[in-house]
Amino acid sequence: KAGVTQTPRYLIKTRGQQVTLSCSPISGHRSVSWYQQTPGQGLQFLFEYFSETQRNKGNFPGRFSGRQFSNSRSEMNVSTLELGDSALYLCASSPQGLPNTEAFFGQGTRLTVV
Amino acid sequence: EDQVTQSPEALRLQEGESSSLNCSYTVSGLRGLFWYRQDPGKGPEFLFTLYSAGEEKEKERLKATLTKKESFLHITAPKPEDSATYLCAVSRVQGAQKLVFGQGTRLTINP
């Protein structure tokens, strides 16, 4: 059974640009969550999608947005990139989402903003 | 505000030297406590979920336990391949459904 797939694995962008990250969940999983991981703040929740609807949102500015498609694949977009957006962005999928099922993570996309 | 605190931040052990990692939590209505392992440059790998105080789960050299205030990850006779960062996270019964993570314990096992 294939795991969670995130693309691309690495990205280098310039301040002010925008970026789109992609996540393909485990087959049959309908919930996709996104997290940002930095050395200083650790893992922080961005948002969660279930059946193409955003169900939960973390405390990030509106520059961070996402969407989910009918096949459960999800994309995350960051506009007007700042140096502080450099991080490992992780996607997690679960069958029904929390609180009843576990979340399984992808390998992440390493974003560097210069 | 839900909080998860892990200790120690870093731990170095000799191969075969058993020890425990701690995860203290404050959450309004705990639904589940999760342990993950993360290798450098990779995503967290799911290890265990614990749902109620007194529950224990084992996997190879790892055993996780849960009380009303904290969880322990016991590692018995560790090997160098057990070196990783171990992350603890909690979810709640009601409210925003998300994982709240601790900062992790970086474990190094020397041969």
Side-chain angles (χ1 to χ4, degrees):
Chain A
K1 193 174 186 181
V4 180
T5 304
Q6 291 189 245
T7 56
R9 288 294 311 279
Y10 303 93
L11 267 178
I12 300 176
K13 290 287 187 179
T14 304
R15 269 185 308 174
Q17 287 187 315
Q18 75 165 19
V19 67
T20 299
L21 313 180
S22 179
C23 172
S24 293
I26 294 170
S27 178
H29 287 197
R30 297 167 63 191
S31 167
V32 173
S33 299
W34 289 88
Y35 290 81
Q36 181 196 65
Q37 186 175 30
T38 60
Q41 299 297 318
L43 273 143
Q44 294 192 298
F45 173 76
L46 283 155
F47 29 67
E48 185 236 1
Y49 286 86
F50 183 85
S51 292
E52 302 178 67
T53 300
Q54 186 181 89
R55 283 200 305 193
N56 295 285
K57 190 175 189 305
N59 297 323
F60 278 81
R63 300 185 296 106
F64 292 81
S65 63
R67 59 178 175 169
Q68 186 180 33
F69 302 95
S70 58
N71 61 358
S72 293
R73 190 177 71 84
S74 177
E75 287 182 347
M76 189 192 106
N77 185 274
V78 187
S79 63
T80 319
L81 283 165
E82 301 177 359
L83 295 179
D85 297 332
S86 295
L88 181 66
Y89 289 88
L90 293 160
C91 163
S93 83
S94 66
Q96 298 291 335
L98 300 172
N100 298 313
T101 54
E102 293 87 1
F104 300 89
F105 285 84
Q107 297 285 51
T109 293
R110 170 74 62 185
L111 172 64
T112 302
V113 182
V114 297
Chain B
E1 183 81 22
D2 301 340
Q3 281 197 320
V4 179
T5 303
Q6 292 187 245
S7 62
E9 286 187 22
L11 180 63
R12 283 185 176 273
L13 301 172
Q14 289 299 122
E15 184 173 0
E17 181 184 1
S18 301
S19 188
S20 296
L21 313 182
N22 177 265
C23 170
S24 298
Y25 62 89
T26 304
V27 62
S28 179
L30 177 74
R31 177 63 180 102
L33 186 140
F34 303 80
W35 282 99
Y36 287 87
R37 168 196 168 124
Q38 187 174 27
D39 293 303
K42 297 191 175 182
E45 175 190 346
F46 172 76
L47 293 174
F48 306 108
T49 309
L50 302 166
Y51 290 107
S52 56
E55 189 175 0
E56 298 183 352
K57 286 192 177 173
E58 287 188 64
K59 179 180 179 178
E60 296 180 357
R61 296 176 291 281
L62 299 175
K63 182 168 90 171
T65 62
L66 181 65
T67 73
K68 288 187 177 179
K69 293 184 178 180
E70 57 192 351
S71 176
F72 292 92
L73 185 65
H74 307 277
I75 180 161
T76 303
K79 299 181 178 181
E81 54 262 41
D82 295 321
S83 297
T85 295
Y86 290 85
L87 296 163
C88 169
V90 297
S91 67
R92 48 162 57 198
V93 174
Q94 292 182 334
Q97 292 307 315
K98 62 180 180 179
L99 290 173
V100 176
F101 281 87
Q103 292 288 73
T105 292
R106 188 171 65 254
L107 178 64
T108 304
I109 308 298
N110 295 316

